[in-house]
Amino acid sequence: MRRFKLLLLTLAITVSTVIYAEKSGRIYDLNSLSAEIEQLLRDTDHTLREGKSITVFFSISEENSIQYVSVSSEDPEVVELLQKKLQDQILDGEKWREGMIYELSVHGRSSFACATR
């Protein structure tokens, strides 16, 4: 019986670790959201050139998901791509406030993009 309890405890710890590890891919703050946007742009060959920028406006629902996305960019493909990818994206953390509109600007600088608030 003791071995069975030990096996059950090990299984519970393993399952909880896997569940916790899956949550780590979620976005916690504006900096991690900026990094995600930069990665999306790199993955789709829409890199930001030096001097160019995009601005993303979004609001948060009760479930901590992005419920409204508006993108300001000179490239209509980037606008469409980011609106599709970010809509209903689940955000984690306690910093997000429901109903508040967030603004995130990503500026192209040399060979990488960086975020400002």
Side-chain angles (χ1 to χ4, degrees):
M1 187 60 135
R2 190 174 209 181
R3 287 185 183 180
F4 179 71
K5 287 181 182 179
L6 184 60
L7 178 64
L8 193 58
L9 177 64
T10 305
L11 180 64
I13 291 172
T14 304
V15 169
S16 66
T17 304
V18 169
I19 291 171
Y20 180 76
E22 286 183 20
K23 289 183 180 181
S24 65
R26 292 187 176 171
I27 301 169
Y28 288 92
D29 59 18
L30 281 175
N31 290 331
S32 62
L33 180 57
S34 174
E36 175 128 339
I37 289 171
E38 292 170 21
Q39 187 63 42
L40 280 171
L41 293 173
R42 267 187 249 125
D43 289 348
T44 58
D45 294 327
H46 287 94
T47 55
L48 285 175
R49 290 174 291 176
E50 189 172 353
K52 299 291 183 182
S53 67
I54 59 170
T55 304
V56 179
F57 299 93
F58 62 96
S59 64
I60 306 298
S61 71
E62 291 177 3
E63 297 83 24
N64 269 8
S65 66
I66 297 176
Q67 65 181 1
Y68 169 78
V69 179
S70 177
V71 180
S72 173
S73 173
E74 295 174 2
D75 186 351
E77 290 180 21
V78 169
V79 172
E80 186 177 336
L81 170 78
L82 291 179
Q83 285 178 337
K84 283 182 182 178
K85 294 288 186 175
L86 296 176
Q87 186 68 38
D88 297 324
Q89 179 86 19
I90 300 293
L91 306 177
D92 231 352
E94 297 176 7
K95 294 181 180 181
W96 305 108
R97 292 193 356 219
E98 173 191 345
M100 184 172 177
I101 296 175
Y102 291 90
E103 176 183 351
L104 174 65
S105 294
V106 181
H107 300 280
R109 296 192 185 167
S110 57
S111 63
F112 64 94
C114 71
T116 60
R117 291 185 201 193

